[in-house]
PDB file of all heavy atoms in Angstrom:
ATOM      1  N   LEU A  69     -47.555 -87.353 134.111  1.00 95.00           N
ATOM      2  CA  LEU A  69     -47.631 -87.985 135.425  1.00 95.00           C
ATOM      3  C   LEU A  69     -48.871 -88.863 135.501  1.00 95.00           C
ATOM      4  O   LEU A  69     -49.976 -88.432 135.184  1.00 95.00           O
ATOM      5  CB  LEU A  69     -47.690 -86.908 136.508  1.00 95.00           C
ATOM      6  CG  LEU A  69     -47.689 -87.395 137.962  1.00 95.00           C
ATOM      7  CD1 LEU A  69     -46.330 -87.986 138.336  1.00 95.00           C
ATOM      8  CD2 LEU A  69     -48.049 -86.242 138.908  1.00 95.00           C
ATOM      9  N   THR A  70     -48.693 -90.109 135.934  1.00 94.00           N
ATOM     10  CA  THR A  70     -49.823 -91.030 136.050  1.00 94.00           C
ATOM     11  C   THR A  70     -50.107 -91.425 137.497  1.00 94.00           C
ATOM     12  O   THR A  70     -51.183 -91.939 137.799  1.00 94.00           O
ATOM     13  CB  THR A  70     -49.571 -92.316 135.233  1.00 94.00           C
ATOM     14  OG1 THR A  70     -48.357 -92.934 135.679  1.00 94.00           O
ATOM     15  CG2 THR A  70     -49.455 -91.984 133.749  1.00 94.00           C
ATOM     16  N   HIS A  71     -49.133 -91.190 138.392  1.00 94.00           N
ATOM     17  CA  HIS A  71     -49.354 -91.562 139.787  1.00 94.00           C
ATOM     18  C   HIS A  71     -48.403 -90.772 140.680  1.00 94.00           C
ATOM     19  O   HIS A  71     -47.235 -90.573 140.340  1.00 94.00           O
ATOM     20  CB  HIS A  71     -49.120 -93.055 139.996  1.00 94.00           C
ATOM     21  CG  HIS A  71     -49.371 -93.511 141.408  1.00 94.00           C
ATOM     22  ND1 HIS A  71     -50.620 -93.858 141.858  1.00 94.00           N
ATOM     23  CD2 HIS A  71     -48.523 -93.665 142.471  1.00 94.00           C
ATOM     24  CE1 HIS A  71     -50.535 -94.214 143.138  1.00 94.00           C
ATOM     25  NE2 HIS A  71     -49.276 -94.106 143.520  1.00 94.00           N
ATOM     26  N   ALA A  72     -48.905 -90.325 141.835  1.00 95.00           N
ATOM     27  CA  ALA A  72     -48.065 -89.676 142.843  1.00 95.00           C
ATOM     28  C   ALA A  72     -48.692 -89.886 144.208  1.00 95.00           C
ATOM     29  O   ALA A  72     -49.886 -89.644 144.386  1.00 95.00           O
ATOM     30  CB  ALA A  72     -47.916 -88.188 142.550  1.00 95.00           C
ATOM     31  N   GLU A  73     -47.879 -90.359 145.146  1.00 95.00           N
ATOM     32  CA  GLU A  73     -48.362 -90.534 146.516  1.00 95.00           C
ATOM     33  C   GLU A  73     -47.229 -90.258 147.489  1.00 95.00           C
ATOM     34  O   GLU A  73     -46.067 -90.582 147.218  1.00 95.00           O
ATOM     35  CB  GLU A  73     -48.892 -91.953 146.734  1.00 95.00           C
ATOM     36  CG  GLU A  73     -47.841 -93.051 146.586  1.00 95.00           C
ATOM     37  CD  GLU A  73     -48.397 -94.426 146.897  1.00 95.00           C
ATOM     38  OE1 GLU A  73     -48.528 -94.744 148.093  1.00 95.00           O
ATOM     39  OE2 GLU A  73     -48.686 -95.167 145.932  1.00 95.00           O
ATOM     40  N   PRO A  74     -47.523 -89.640 148.621  1.00 94.00           N
ATOM     41  CA  PRO A  74     -46.471 -89.347 149.599  1.00 94.00           C
ATOM     42  C   PRO A  74     -45.927 -90.625 150.230  1.00 94.00           C
ATOM     43  O   PRO A  74     -46.672 -91.555 150.527  1.00 94.00           O
ATOM     44  CB  PRO A  74     -47.188 -88.490 150.649  1.00 94.00           C
ATOM     45  CG  PRO A  74     -48.464 -88.038 150.003  1.00 94.00           C
ATOM     46  CD  PRO A  74     -48.834 -89.103 149.020  1.00 94.00           C
ATOM     47  N   ILE A  75     -44.615 -90.671 150.405  1.00 94.00           N
ATOM     48  CA  ILE A  75     -43.992 -91.749 151.149  1.00 94.00           C
ATOM     49  C   ILE A  75     -44.099 -91.458 152.646  1.00 94.00           C
ATOM     50  O   ILE A  75     -44.310 -92.344 153.462  1.00 94.00           O
ATOM     51  CB  ILE A  75     -42.515 -91.908 150.751  1.00 94.00           C
ATOM     52  CG1 ILE A  75     -42.399 -92.268 149.271  1.00 94.00           C
ATOM     53  CG2 ILE A  75     -41.819 -92.960 151.609  1.00 94.00           C
ATOM     54  CD1 ILE A  75     -40.974 -92.276 148.757  1.00 94.00           C
ATOM     55  N   SER A  76     -43.934 -90.190 152.980  1.00 88.00           N
ATOM     56  CA  SER A  76     -44.049 -89.725 154.357  1.00 88.00           C
ATOM     57  C   SER A  76     -44.436 -88.260 154.312  1.00 88.00           C
ATOM     58  O   SER A  76     -44.578 -87.677 153.235  1.00 88.00           O
ATOM     59  CB  SER A  76     -42.731 -89.925 155.110  1.00 88.00           C
ATOM     60  OG  SER A  76     -41.713 -89.110 154.547  1.00 88.00           O
ATOM     61  N   ILE A  77     -44.605 -87.645 155.461  1.00 84.00           N
ATOM     62  CA  ILE A  77     -44.929 -86.231 155.492  1.00 84.00           C
ATOM     63  C   ILE A  77     -43.722 -85.431 155.024  1.00 84.00           C
ATOM     64  O   ILE A  77     -42.579 -85.913 155.057  1.00 84.00           O
ATOM     65  CB  ILE A  77     -45.362 -85.772 156.897  1.00 84.00           C
ATOM     66  CG1 ILE A  77     -44.219 -85.989 157.901  1.00 84.00           C
ATOM     67  CG2 ILE A  77     -46.614 -86.520 157.337  1.00 84.00           C
ATOM     68  CD1 ILE A  77     -44.514 -85.406 159.276  1.00 84.00           C
ATOM     69  N   GLY A  78     -43.968 -84.200 154.580  1.00 84.00           N
ATOM     70  CA  GLY A  78     -42.883 -83.356 154.113  1.00 84.00           C
ATOM     71  C   GLY A  78     -41.918 -83.009 155.226  1.00 84.00           C
ATOM     72  O   GLY A  78     -42.299 -82.908 156.400  1.00 84.00           O
ATOM     73  N   LEU A  79     -40.647 -82.845 154.851  1.00 86.00           N
ATOM     74  CA  LEU A  79     -39.644 -82.449 155.833  1.00 86.00           C
ATOM     75  C   LEU A  79     -39.870 -80.987 156.224  1.00 86.00           C
ATOM     76  O   LEU A  79     -39.991 -80.123 155.349  1.00 86.00           O
ATOM     77  CB  LEU A  79     -38.252 -82.639 155.252  1.00 86.00           C
ATOM     78  CG  LEU A  79     -37.877 -84.099 154.988  1.00 86.00           C
ATOM     79  CD1 LEU A  79     -36.691 -84.186 154.047  1.00 86.00           C
ATOM     80  CD2 LEU A  79     -37.563 -84.808 156.289  1.00 86.00           C
ATOM     81  N   PRO A  80     -39.942 -80.674 157.511  1.00 87.00           N
ATOM     82  CA  PRO A  80     -40.275 -79.308 157.938  1.00 87.00           C
ATOM     83  C   PRO A  80     -39.113 -78.348 157.723  1.00 87.00           C
ATOM     84  O   PRO A  80     -38.016 -78.563 158.253  1.00 87.00           O
ATOM     85  CB  PRO A  80     -40.582 -79.480 159.432  1.00 87.00           C
ATOM     86  CG  PRO A  80     -39.777 -80.674 159.843  1.00 87.00           C
ATOM     87  CD  PRO A  80     -39.745 -81.585 158.650  1.00 87.00           C
TER      88      PRO A  80
END
Side-chain angles (χ1 to χ4, degrees):
L69 184 70
T70 57
H71 182 85
E73 63 176 281
I75 298 173
S76 65
I77 61 173
L79 294 163

